[in-house]
Amino acid sequence: MKKIITLDKFIYQALYEKKKGYYTKNISFDKHGDFITSPNISVLFSEIITIWIIMYWQNIGRPKKFDLIELGAGNGEMMFQIINTSKIFSDFNNAINFYIIEKSDYLKKVQKKKLYKFKIKWINNINKFKSKNKCLFLGNEFLDAFPIKQLQKIKNTWYEKYVHEYYESRTINNKKINIKKYHNILGIEFIKNKNFIEFSPSLINFIKKLSIHVKKCYGGVLFIDYGYLKKSMINSLQGVKGHKKYNILLDKGEVDITHLINFYFLKKILNDNGLNVNGITTQGNFLRKMGIIERAELLSKNKIFSYKVNLYNRLKRIIDKKEMGDLFKVIFASHKSIKFKKGF
Ligand SMILES: C[S@@+](CC[C@H](N)C(=O)[O-])C[C@H]1O[C@@H](n2cnc3c(N)ncnc32)[C@H](O)[C@@H]1O
């Protein structure tokens, strides 16, 4: 039977459908998988993030109880390194409670196996997070895992992308829409003068819920993801398989479907939900300002040549402009009372 579904519904099924979705079955985040994330490239990445978290904790007055909540923890590598690094700082270590909000049951199992030694609370859904402590949310490559819609204006008429499915044969087609139905969610001003819009209704909804928690706990949220800063939007939808671009319509459930984050729009959504954006910068700038090069120098002292080569090759991948350094951005949003700009 022929099925016609919105693009975001198709992506949602491809990524999260029970047992068949890309994130709900055997997925790997290292060199054996389809893509590799910064925590899985270099331990230095998670170490520097931990130092930033500790500085943030100090800046808000070293609360005796402090919750760190990782959003979408993948294979658990970043949480593993954050907990290990935290142990060196005993006051901080005594204050911190670790949480993971993870949607995929399969990945939750992977995380529990890797992190079995540590005290962590897992939560399926942000609605279920409850705490009276000061808090900080953290998400690396979390935002790009949400399904998107695409809208296009052709000769003054707006269309939305739909996927037509007939068994394994799929095409993307335009369907005429009344743009007014997106006025509330996107804002009339934002739509004005645009011919193309790419956005994730489920991410907007998630940020709305997240912002309520951030405001309630006088906290913040740090996101790291690939994307761009300009106001206009580009068609950035892509499939990734075996570290290469791949057609999103083929091999449903076997391909990562992702997109670039428009940080201008993300900032608007965070602001619309009453949060203050303290800074946006590139991953390369952030990590350098936080002292990643000095840390690498310290670690490589008196080490054999092959160790140094490995360490610096990995460092280069995450900070070099031609690799992940420029494409990846870091954004920190918080309760309005917090002014913390370290790293930006
Ligand atoms: C691209 S992976 C990144 C994994 C990890 N942060 C890393 O850097 O290696 C996205 C992660 O977010 C999770 N995820 C996606 N949508 C989610 C949601 N709405 N709530 C919780 N987790 C979600 C996925 O299951 C996966 O663990």
Side-chain angles (χ1 to χ4, degrees), residues 65-261:
K65 285 185 176 173
F66 179 67
D67 296 339
L68 178 74
I69 309 103
E70 186 179 355
L71 303 167
N75 62 0
E77 175 63 21
M78 183 158 76
M79 189 52 110
F80 186 88
Q81 301 301 345
I82 288 177
I83 299 179
N84 270 337
T85 311
S86 298
K87 280 185 186 157
I88 310 163
F89 304 88
S90 63
D91 287 357
F92 176 72
N93 197 40
N94 290 336
I96 192 159
N97 302 306
F98 297 102
Y99 290 85
I100 290 178
I101 298 186
E102 176 54 62
K103 185 183 182 71
S104 156
D105 287 337
Y106 170 76
L107 287 174
K108 212 183 301 163
K109 269 190 211 148
V110 173
Q111 293 159 14
K112 285 192 170 169
K113 198 169 165 196
K114 182 169 183 120
L115 301 164
Y116 76 97
K117 278 192 206 151
F118 307 124
K119 199 174 161 223
I120 301 168
K121 262 194 195 152
W122 271 266
I123 302 169
N124 292 347
N125 190 312
I126 185 134
N127 294 334
K128 297 195 179 136
F129 177 70
K130 280 192 182 69
S131 170
K132 289 193 171 125
N133 303 330
K134 292 276 166 67
C135 71
L136 179 71
F137 292 84
L138 170 68
N140 184 58
E141 292 205 33
F142 173 70
L143 307 167
D144 66 80
F146 278 75
I148 52 163
K149 281 187 181 294
Q150 287 188 336
L151 313 179
Q152 196 172 4
K153 190 163 84 177
I154 306 167
K155 291 185 185 156
N156 273 327
T157 302
W158 279 97
Y159 297 87
E160 179 171 341
K161 295 252 156 71
Y162 275 72
V163 175
H164 291 218
E165 268 191 297
Y166 186 69
Y167 296 100
E168 283 303 302
S169 149
R170 299 179 189 98
T171 53
I172 294 186
N173 299 289
N174 277 333
K175 190 177 163 192
K176 211 167 162 177
I177 51 152
N178 184 350
I179 193 66
K180 279 189 185 155
K181 74 172 178 178
Y182 293 121
H183 275 179
N184 266 353
I185 190 168
L186 295 168
I188 298 176
E189 268 312 301
F190 186 81
I191 296 171
K192 232 186 206 172
N193 305 326
K194 288 216 167 36
N195 293 320
F196 178 81
I197 299 173
E198 189 177 84
F199 73 107
S200 169
S202 50
L203 177 60
I204 294 176
N205 196 25
F206 184 91
I207 292 205
K208 198 171 165 183
K209 293 176 193 163
L210 173 73
S211 304
I212 295 171
H213 288 292
V214 171
K215 284 182 281 188
K216 216 162 110 188
C217 76
Y218 289 82
V221 55
L222 185 79
F223 286 123
I224 305 135
D225 223 308
Y226 37 82
Y228 57 101
L229 299 168
K230 63 179 182 191
K231 195 171 174 179
S232 59
M233 290 184 152
I234 56 168
N235 179 352
S236 72
L237 180 65
Q238 60 173 18
V240 179
K241 193 172 159 79
H243 298 266
K244 288 197 182 102
K245 291 209 171 150
Y246 202 83
N247 188 337
I248 66 153
L249 299 174
L250 299 177
D251 305 338
K252 192 175 180 183
E254 304 298 326
V255 180
D256 182 31
I257 304 179
T258 179
H259 65 283
L260 298 180
I261 303 305

Side-chain angles (χ1 to χ4, degrees), residues 7 20 63 68 71-72 233 252 271 276 289 293 328 332:
L7 178 63
K20 290 195 210 154
L68 178 74
L71 303 167
M233 290 184 152
K252 192 175 180 183
N271 288 153
N276 191 29
K289 277 198 176 174
I293 294 178
F328 280 68
F332 176 54

